[in-house]
Amino acid sequence: MSKKTFVTKELIEEIVKKYPTPFHIYDEKGIRENAQAVKEAFAWNEGFKEYFAVKATPTPYLIQILREYGCGCDCSSMTELMLSKAIGVTGADIMFSSNDTPAEEYEYAAKLGAIINLDDITHIEFLEETIGKLPETMSCRYNPGGVFVMSNGIMDNPGDSKYGFTTEQMFEGFRILKAKGVKNFGIHAFLASNTVTNEYYPILAKQLFEIAVQLEKETGADIKFINLSGGVGIPYQPDQEENDIREIGEGVRKVYEEVLVPAGMGDIALYTEMGRFMMGPYGALVTQAIHEKHTHKEFIGVDACAVNLMRPAMYGSYHHITVLGKEEEACDYKYDITGSLCENNDKFAIDRMLPKIDMGDYIVIHDTGAHGYAMGYNYNGKLRSAELLLKEDGNAELIRRAETPKDYFATFDGLDIYSKLEEEF
Ligand SMILES: *Cc1c(COP(=O)(O)O)cnc(C)c1O
């Protein structure tokens, strides 16, 4: 089976005249169509809001596109909060879903008026000590423990995860918050990651709706929103069937009408914090084949490496690969596609069947729009690439320039690196 890219060889040959490989490129049309579909899928819920998980793709131009579809920002660090503020996202348009949170981040989140989603019961006191009076609106992250299983056998392991309050702590936490004057309550949970099934949100929602009913009954807390967080996945593999966001929205609606409406809680707003689903398929890493090596295996060396996309090295993740201009050719060569790091896990693909690759070929690594550029690092002194936006009019625009050596050396205050490297710069 094949997976299509949103770029062609001709387009990339044009772009590289101005912006050399490697770079991440994003598909504006795809981002917009998907954001619109998400909006429509949950339009039945009056207060619905997607808080884009900034960590997935912290690129202002892209988040600004999502803003046009009503999205806010889900942040969990100081710089993510700062980035949101800088692009005009403040107040209840920010969900601060952090954990192990330093005091200054709570302070700043409160200053921006963000909704604070507590990860731990001890943070009630910590937050109060940090900012004084608690905000009127507070959310708590729930972790029921155990395993989370869906009917296709996919599971995740909340019982092992560091996040969230236990069931008991949710009840205790809501009571304490209420006693401290909190008026509006939210519940949040993130129990399974990259789920490629339409079932995840509906199953999660049912669990959260049921505990919401009990919490309201037993603590008297006024629950205003339920946050299904992230975890909606994308088909990285060519044989996976993609999620249907409309079906997911309908599935959630069904349990909403089953559980919340009869309990008189049919005015609760639903929030999501999707990252991967909003951006993943609409980004690609474009790189060029620069070496071939025939030893114990067949290797193709490219000009990108794991610092541009860490997922294969870190998780062994599959990312589909297209050799531009050879889309229709038979995949009868077996390659390892490697980067240049002094790390043997720096491979974008292992034993991958592909068309014959010639030096100079442009290679597209799919689905890098979320948790791609964002997980970049500087190992081996490698620099982060540029990010480009393929606009709806077909033009490519630079939305983040590539790092230069000057950026890499910028933090050695007091060591006069620049003057010693004047020629190089
Ligand atoms: C990572 C994260 C998300 C986004 O997850 P995706 O799998 O990209 O949808 C949302 N919320 C929180 C709190 C996260 O940590």
Side-chain angles (χ1 to χ4, degrees), residues 53 55 74 97 141 188 190 193 229-231 273-276 371:
K55 76 162 189 259
D74 160 34
S97 289
R141 182 170 185 163
H188 168 286
F190 189 157
S193 197
S229 191
E273 295 174 341
M274 293 183 280
R276 196 184 312 272
H371 313 294

Side-chain angles (χ1 to χ4, degrees), residues 47-49 51 95 115 225-229 269-273:
F48 174 76
K49 193 173 200 61
Y51 288 88
M95 184 66 62
I115 301 177
F225 63 87
I226 290 173
N227 184 344
L228 303 175
S229 191
L270 291 183
Y271 298 158
T272 56
E273 295 174 341

Side-chain angles (χ1 to χ4, degrees), residues 213-289:
V213 172
Q214 284 179 26
L215 277 167
E216 198 164 281
K217 201 161 75 188
E218 290 180 30
T219 69
D222 186 4
I223 297 168
K224 296 279 204 234
F225 63 87
I226 290 173
N227 184 344
L228 303 175
S229 191
V232 179
I234 60 168
Y236 288 101
Q237 309 255 1
D239 59 354
Q240 282 177 304
E241 198 178 328
E242 65 180 347
N243 285 330
D244 179 346
I245 196 67
R246 288 165 211 276
E247 199 179 306
I248 292 173
E250 278 309 299
V252 174
R253 176 188 198 147
K254 198 166 153 265
V255 291
Y256 190 97
E257 284 167 3
E258 264 170 36
V259 181
L260 289 182
V261 173
M265 295 165 70
D267 57 353
I268 288 186
L270 291 183
Y271 298 158
T272 56
E273 295 174 341
M274 293 183 280
R276 196 184 312 272
F277 188 78
M278 302 305 290
M279 287 291 181
Y282 315 112
L285 174 59
V286 181
T287 180
Q288 189 174 35

